[in-house]
Amino acid sequence: MPPHRRQDSLLKVWTGDRAGFFQVNAEGARRLAEVLAAEAPLARLVLVSSLSAREPGLSDYAASKAAGEAAVREAVAAKRLTIVRPPAIYGPGDRETLGVFQLARRSPVLPLPGREGARLAGSIVCWRKAMA
């Protein structure tokens, strides 16, 4: 059985520049969806995108996530596709959200930007080295 048919999930490798974002989030998602559609046309795909994909103009990251969603929609039948858009995902080595956590550590109050009633949500991802 080919390796891609034995896998239940794919760990995304984050890179911090526009080319890296598009290589992983758009091109990687497209290739995965095309292989799935060709090799397992009845399988379902759950694409973990980002809440930022709703506003591609926010950043290169947001644009790459929106492009990935569009590419997957072209390759996989809608009834076989679920796209989830979690809020900020952070974990070990994440420099993008570090300032928020440093501020929270120093202050008993964490101000939120935006309108009154704004909320902050996040999901932590921790990984371990695979055991042999």
Side-chain angles (χ1 to χ4, degrees):
M1 182 177 284
H4 62 267
R5 295 193 72 193
R6 288 181 282 160
Q7 298 298 318
D8 294 326
S9 62
L10 175 69
L11 176 64
K12 179 184 80 69
V13 179
W14 180 80
T15 58
D17 61 11
R18 181 176 177 83
F21 286 140
F22 275 85
Q23 181 180 13
V24 172
N25 296 329
E27 184 62 18
R30 182 192 62 76
R31 280 194 252 153
L32 179 65
E34 287 175 351
V35 168
L36 182 73
E39 300 292 326
L42 298 180
R44 291 193 51 80
L45 174 63
V46 177
L47 176 68
V48 180
S49 185
S50 169
L51 193 55
S52 65
R54 76 192 190 292
E55 292 290 338
L58 286 174
S59 65
D60 292 340
Y61 175 78
S64 73
K65 287 305 227 177
E69 288 183 13
V72 168
R73 281 188 188 104
E74 288 178 19
V76 177
K79 66 182 179 181
R80 304 233 180 270
L81 176 62
T82 300
I83 297 175
V84 293
R85 290 179 171 174
I89 297 176
Y90 58 94
D94 182 356
R95 308 298 291 174
E96 295 296 316
T97 58
L98 183 59
V100 174
F101 291 103
Q102 289 174 330
L103 180 60
R105 185 175 191 189
R106 290 191 306 264
S107 173
V109 177
L110 181 60
L112 296 176
R115 68 187 197 296
E116 184 178 335
R119 297 176 288 179
L120 178 65
S123 302
I124 187 166
V125 174
C126 297
W127 53 88
R128 296 181 187 180
K129 193 174 185 177
M131 301 178 99

